[in-house]
Amino acid sequence: MMLLERGLIELLLSVFTREELNAFLRSPQNTAVLVGGLIAVCGALLGAFLLLRGMALTSDAISHTVLLGIVVAFLLMTKTFGMDGDTSSPWLILGASLAGVATVALTEMLYRSGLVRQDAALGLAFPLLFAIAVILVSRYVEDAHLDEDAVLVGEIGLAWANTNSHCFENCESVTIRPDHPAAKHARQCVNCRELGISPRDDGAEFRRICSNCGDYTPAEAYSAGLLEREPLLVFFPKSIMVMLVMTALSLAFVLVFYKELKLSTFDAGLAQALGFRPGRLNYALMVLVSLVAVGAFDAVGSILVIAFFIIPPAAAYLLTDRLSLMLVLGPLIGAGGAFFGYDLARGQLFGVIPLAYGITALNRLLGLELAERWDSSISASMVLIIFIFFVLAWVLSPRYGLLSTLIRRANRRRRFADQVVLAHIHNHQHTALHAIECRMDSLHTHFRWRPSRMGRVMARLRALGYVRVAGGIAELTERGERQVHAFRRTMLEARNMPELD
């Protein structure tokens, strides 16, 4: 990972200066938005296929159970092998991916037993693995960023502080030994804790130790005053590189196996018959979901990451029926949520609407005492903005939105009312009952409508030139007759019946 970071930094330094790059990467907002956007892109690409396969809640299960893989790998690293507990370690990513595969395998095993349904099997598998993970965290993990807050929401606002430093000039590391001129010596009581005595007691025994001995990176050595010349450093947040790798893997997976994923998603039987092995493709998809979930663990936690898998593709699905376009719109929606979510956490809706004004107005109108200073979780704010985008798509989608659906239903009701009235007038126009059945003042009684409704229908039909009124009696125009025959022909063609005159 360090080699990838250094290569990327060298590429960026060919365009930007070191100062500009450090200023950008050391900004909490820039880092949070970039990491959130990458998580959203990964989640939307993979979540689109989970959603279309009816496996959206599988991301929920995996985002919980990856915690077990993280904890087990963390305990092995720190307790067994004596390694540093770095939450961005590739060993944790490996453990999480294995936990994701274990979740899918356990779910499949329970489902194939024939004793439980698939949704019940999923509901049995992931609470078990997640409960084991929570017990391990509460019992054996101490002094590490694996607490309840990390599990729930993470802290993307601190991603900028967890960095690797890359030195490009004056890169002199320093090693201090007890005989080094800069070594600082102190005394340490070796039996105080064992005997429960104070270092001031006569029985206390001491040994001479070096308090600052160790290996110093160029940055640490300069900060400790061990170097005269400042090293030229670039600080690169670890989460950015992790999520860049996850994004590259997700994008490569979708591009390389696009046809196979599309076929196995919409017709798994045909994919099996053609030798595509959808089962293995499904496990590969689950592994990638696990990798993205653990990559996002530090930033948004194991709970809120579910939203990045489900909400953006769900919003995109309301806007298009094309899979390729859905795979473009989903990441854009997620990245937009990450961008505006940071502003929301600071109290600005879409960066222009201060929320404090709305809270102040509520306090004045309703006599509330809500805190007017807005301060919220950044990752939760990102999810909230993504959900707002989903609501907008749900309401305003030109084909599947709530508004367009209501308009279509209203148009159908209006067309139905028009056709019913036209048919009634057509059936009685050349009969002896015409004057009775088609009188304007009593026409509504034949349909059991309110007079106001009949007035609106007749006004519309007259405006369209379908109906005219003579002597208070409604009759069809030539255009109205053509409309009635056209409607009848359409209905008969739909039923494959010959037209009768």
Side-chain angles (χ1 to χ4, degrees), residues 263-335:
L263 182 59
S264 61
T265 296
F266 294 106
D267 196 337
L270 179 59
Q272 180 74 34
L274 295 176
F276 285 149
R277 299 188 178 182
R280 292 187 181 181
L281 204 59
N282 184 57
Y283 275 107
L285 179 62
M286 295 304 107
V287 168
L288 273 178
V289 170
S290 304
L291 292 175
V292 172
V294 71
F297 187 82
D298 255 356
V300 297
S302 64
I303 306 300
L304 291 181
V305 72
I306 304 165
F308 289 88
F309 281 109
I310 298 176
I311 302 179
Y317 194 33
L318 291 171
L319 299 175
T320 181
D321 288 329
R322 295 176 56 191
L323 177 59
S324 57
L325 188 55
M326 182 179 174
L327 293 174
V328 174
L329 291 177
L332 288 177
I333 292 170

Side-chain angles (χ1 to χ4, degrees), residues 60-312:
D60 181 13
I62 290 178
S63 68
H64 285 72
T65 56
V66 293
L67 180 62
L68 178 60
I70 293 172
V71 173
V72 171
F74 185 86
L75 291 176
L76 290 175
M77 287 168 55
T78 56
K79 307 295 185 182
T80 304
F81 300 106
M83 302 169 62
D84 293 333
D86 184 4
T87 54
S88 60
S89 169
W91 294 109
L92 298 188
I93 296 177
L94 176 61
S97 62
L98 293 177
V101 173
T103 303
V104 177
L106 181 58
T107 302
E108 288 291 320
M109 183 183 70
L110 291 172
Y111 173 62
R112 290 179 180 178
S113 69
L115 301 177
V116 293
R117 297 175 56 182
Q118 189 168 13
D119 56 344
L122 186 63
L124 289 168
F126 90 80
L128 169 65
L129 300 180
F130 186 64
I132 295 173
V134 172
I135 291 173
L136 292 177
V137 168
S138 61
R139 293 286 298 172
Y140 300 109
V141 178
E142 299 176 354
D143 301 325
H145 188 53
L146 285 176
D147 53 20
E148 288 79 2
D149 290 337
V151 171
L152 291 175
V153 298
E155 189 43 72
I156 199 171
L158 297 178
W160 68 275
N162 186 17
T163 65
N164 291 320
S165 61
H166 297 266
C167 184
F168 290 87
E169 192 174 328
N170 302 332
C171 304
E172 181 182 353
S173 59
V174 176
T175 300
I176 295 182
R177 298 287 180 259
D179 56 349
H180 194 280
K184 297 178 181 180
H185 297 281
R187 293 196 311 161
Q188 182 184 43
C189 179
V190 296
N191 64 343
C192 291
R193 178 177 294 182
E194 180 182 351
L195 299 179
I197 61 176
S198 169
R200 298 181 179 180
D201 290 348
D202 295 335
E205 299 178 1
F206 296 90
R207 66 179 178 184
R208 192 165 179 261
I209 62 170
C210 177
S211 60
N212 66 338
C213 289
D215 297 325
Y216 290 77
T217 65
E220 293 170 340
Y222 181 77
S223 298
L226 302 175
L227 294 176
E228 295 182 358
R229 296 186 301 170
E230 180 182 1
L232 298 182
L233 301 170
V234 173
F235 298 93
F236 200 90
K238 296 179 181 179
S239 295
I240 293 180
M241 196 67 236
V242 171
M243 293 315 305
L244 278 174
V245 172
M246 294 299 105
T247 303
L249 287 175
S250 301
L251 187 58
F253 178 71
V254 171
L255 290 176
V256 172
F257 297 103
Y258 176 75
K259 291 189 293 185
E260 290 82 354
L261 285 168
K262 184 176 181 179
L263 182 59
S264 61
T265 296
F266 294 106
D267 196 337
L270 179 59
Q272 180 74 34
L274 295 176
F276 285 149
R277 299 188 178 182
R280 292 187 181 181
L281 204 59
N282 184 57
Y283 275 107
L285 179 62
M286 295 304 107
V287 168
L288 273 178
V289 170
S290 304
L291 292 175
V292 172
V294 71
F297 187 82
D298 255 356
V300 297
S302 64
I303 306 300
L304 291 181
V305 72
I306 304 165
F308 289 88
F309 281 109
I310 298 176
I311 302 179

Side-chain angles (χ1 to χ4, degrees), residues 193-494:
R193 178 177 294 182
E194 180 182 351
L195 299 179
I197 61 176
S198 169
R200 298 181 179 180
D201 290 348
D202 295 335
E205 299 178 1
F206 296 90
R207 66 179 178 184
R208 192 165 179 261
I209 62 170
C210 177
S211 60
N212 66 338
C213 289
D215 297 325
Y216 290 77
T217 65
E220 293 170 340
Y222 181 77
S223 298
L226 302 175
L227 294 176
E228 295 182 358
R229 296 186 301 170
E230 180 182 1
L232 298 182
L233 301 170
V234 173
F235 298 93
F236 200 90
K238 296 179 181 179
S239 295
I240 293 180
M241 196 67 236
V242 171
M243 293 315 305
L244 278 174
V245 172
M246 294 299 105
T247 303
L249 287 175
S250 301
L251 187 58
F253 178 71
V254 171
L255 290 176
V256 172
F257 297 103
Y258 176 75
K259 291 189 293 185
E260 290 82 354
L261 285 168
K262 184 176 181 179
L263 182 59
S264 61
T265 296
F266 294 106
D267 196 337
L270 179 59
Q272 180 74 34
L274 295 176
F276 285 149
R277 299 188 178 182
R280 292 187 181 181
L281 204 59
N282 184 57
Y283 275 107
L285 179 62
M286 295 304 107
V287 168
L288 273 178
V289 170
S290 304
L291 292 175
V292 172
V294 71
F297 187 82
D298 255 356
V300 297
S302 64
I303 306 300
L304 291 181
V305 72
I306 304 165
F308 289 88
F309 281 109
I310 298 176
I311 302 179
Y317 194 33
L318 291 171
L319 299 175
T320 181
D321 288 329
R322 295 176 56 191
L323 177 59
S324 57
L325 188 55
M326 182 179 174
L327 293 174
V328 174
L329 291 177
L332 288 177
I333 292 170
F339 180 81
F340 291 110
Y342 194 93
D343 289 329
L344 179 64
R346 296 190 305 175
Q348 297 283 333
L349 182 60
F350 297 119
V352 294
I353 306 174
L355 295 178
Y357 293 165
I359 299 175
T360 301
L362 286 176
N363 287 339
R364 291 177 179 177
L365 289 174
L366 303 178
L368 303 176
E369 297 181 357
L370 301 175
E372 295 182 5
R373 182 178 180 273
W374 185 270
D375 185 16
S376 64
S377 165
I378 298 173
S379 54
S381 298
M382 291 179 176
V383 172
L384 182 57
I385 291 294
I386 295 174
F387 186 77
I388 290 174
F389 286 153
F390 170 79
V391 172
L392 291 175
W394 180 59
V395 173
L396 302 177
S397 172
R399 185 169 183 180
Y400 300 112
L402 178 63
L403 187 60
S404 62
T405 300
L406 292 176
I407 292 174
R408 284 197 302 272
R409 289 178 179 175
N411 287 336
R412 282 198 296 267
R413 288 194 296 268
R414 185 170 62 251
R415 287 195 299 269
F416 177 77
D418 292 349
Q419 295 299 336
V420 167
V421 173
L422 289 175
H424 178 83
I425 298 174
H426 173 77
N427 292 335
H428 295 91
Q429 182 163 301
H430 301 293
T431 67
L433 297 175
H434 181 212
I436 298 174
E437 294 287 341
C438 297
R439 288 185 60 84
M440 288 294 295
D441 56 358
S442 62
L443 186 59
H444 66 278
T445 61
H446 301 293
F447 301 89
R448 296 183 180 179
W449 289 355
R450 293 188 301 273
S452 58
R453 183 183 180 187
M454 179 56 71
R456 290 193 300 269
V457 174
M458 290 301 297
R460 186 166 57 248
L461 293 176
R462 294 175 71 179
L464 292 172
Y466 294 155
V467 173
R468 61 174 173 264
V469 178
I473 308 299
E475 58 184 34
L476 296 183
T477 63
E478 292 184 4
R479 186 177 181 185
E481 291 284 357
R482 290 196 299 270
Q483 176 66 19
V484 170
H485 286 292
F487 177 74
R488 178 181 295 180
R489 186 163 49 252
T490 301
M491 296 299 296
L492 293 175
E493 288 176 354

